[in-house]
Amino acid sequence: MSRASLDKQPHEVAAMFDGVADRYDFTNDVLSLGLARAWRRAVATAVDARPGERILDLAAGTGTSSIPFQQAGASVVACDFSLGMLNVGRSRNPDLDFAAGDAMRLPFRDGAFDAVTISFGLRNVADTTAALRELRRVTKPGGRLLVCEFSHPTNGPFRTVYLEYLMRVLPAVATRVASNPDAYVYLAESIRAWPDQQGLATLIQASGWSRVAWRDLTGGIVALHRGYV
């Protein structure tokens, strides 16, 4: 299999990420024109991890997104269902606590975390609502959710340019820098098919989270959605 379908069969998506694990962080920086780092900083600020808190970073991949929470003094679990990503992460960040886990059946007890976050991973889950409910299950009463995900640019002309980049330029660049370029064709298509900001907010609220709100980054290319138990 060279490319996962938009049906998002878990074993196919996991295999796809296994195949790009070694160059994943580098490729993301190139394809996002360096914006991935700014988005990670925005996530860290929004999560606002504090000393003594326990944080779940779901779809953490190699753990790059988890490091700021650890640096803030929190206890963080970097969880992913791609064993390839986890193996690369453990070799690069041996001080992080990595765990293998399926977003729809998390291997953690109820109310285990003060905050849960998932960056650029929710759209790759087969059942978005099931994952959001699982995240709520493992969050303490009063705890918080932060979802960082690609979204829909709010300016019409800018959205047209962005979609052109997404469907034409991104796969072409991926052919030069990625270990599995076909995987990035899937990723581009999955971004285009993903709900807009209000659509995702509705899904989060329907999954039991309260006080749901969002903030756009980079003109709506990415959105941060927040919710509370």
Side-chain angles (χ1 to χ4, degrees):
M1 187 214 74
S2 61
R3 175 172 163 264
S5 73
L6 289 180
D7 292 335
K8 302 174 189 174
Q9 297 300 316
H11 66 283
E12 292 185 348
V13 178
M16 181 189 71
F17 280 103
D18 288 346
V20 300
D22 192 53
R23 293 174 62 85
Y24 183 75
D25 293 324
F26 168 75
T27 304
N28 278 354
D29 281 341
V30 172
L31 295 180
S32 70
L33 308 179
L35 289 169
R37 298 185 184 193
W39 296 335
R40 285 197 295 270
R41 288 194 296 270
V43 169
T45 299
V47 171
D48 190 24
R50 298 156 197 164
E53 286 192 325
R54 188 163 167 79
I55 309 292
L56 172 63
D57 186 13
L58 187 58
T62 63
T64 303
S65 59
S66 305
I67 293 172
F69 309 134
Q70 184 185 61
Q71 292 174 337
S75 172
V76 57
V77 176
C79 183
D80 204 284
F81 74 156
S82 165
L83 298 182
M85 286 285 199
L86 293 174
N87 288 335
V88 172
R90 288 188 179 108
S91 67
R92 292 180 181 173
N93 303 299
D95 294 334
L96 279 175
D97 182 9
F98 287 92
D102 183 339
M104 297 184 291
R105 293 179 298 276
L106 292 172
F108 309 110
R109 62 176 174 80
D110 295 358
F113 298 97
D114 297 283
V116 295
T117 182
I118 179 168
S119 294
F120 307 112
L122 190 59
R123 75 182 189 284
N124 297 317
V125 178
D127 188 333
T128 304
T129 300
L132 288 167
R133 287 175 177 166
E134 269 292 270
L135 284 168
R136 189 182 186 282
R137 179 185 65 79
V138 302
T139 305
K140 293 178 181 178
R144 57 204 187 274
L145 164 76
L146 196 286
V147 176
C148 178
E149 190 52 90
F150 288 108
S151 197
H152 292 228
T154 54
N155 177 275
F158 178 53
R159 182 165 57 248
T160 299
V161 172
Y162 171 67
L163 289 175
E164 184 74 10
Y165 170 79
L166 197 64
M167 302 311 297
R168 295 180 181 273
V169 181
L170 185 149
V173 175
T175 299
R176 293 179 175 272
V177 301
S179 53
N180 180 4
D182 285 343
Y184 288 87
V185 176
Y186 156 78
L187 291 173
E189 292 176 351
S190 71
I191 292 168
R192 188 171 184 175
W194 187 244
D196 65 7
Q197 290 88 327
Q198 181 60 64
L200 179 55
T202 299
L203 284 175
I204 294 171
Q205 190 165 17
S207 302
W209 295 90
S210 64
R211 296 157 55 195
V212 177
W214 74 82
R215 176 166 67 91
D216 289 329
L217 302 177
T218 320
I221 288 178
V222 167
L224 301 181
H225 282 71
R226 182 189 295 276
Y228 294 87
V229 175

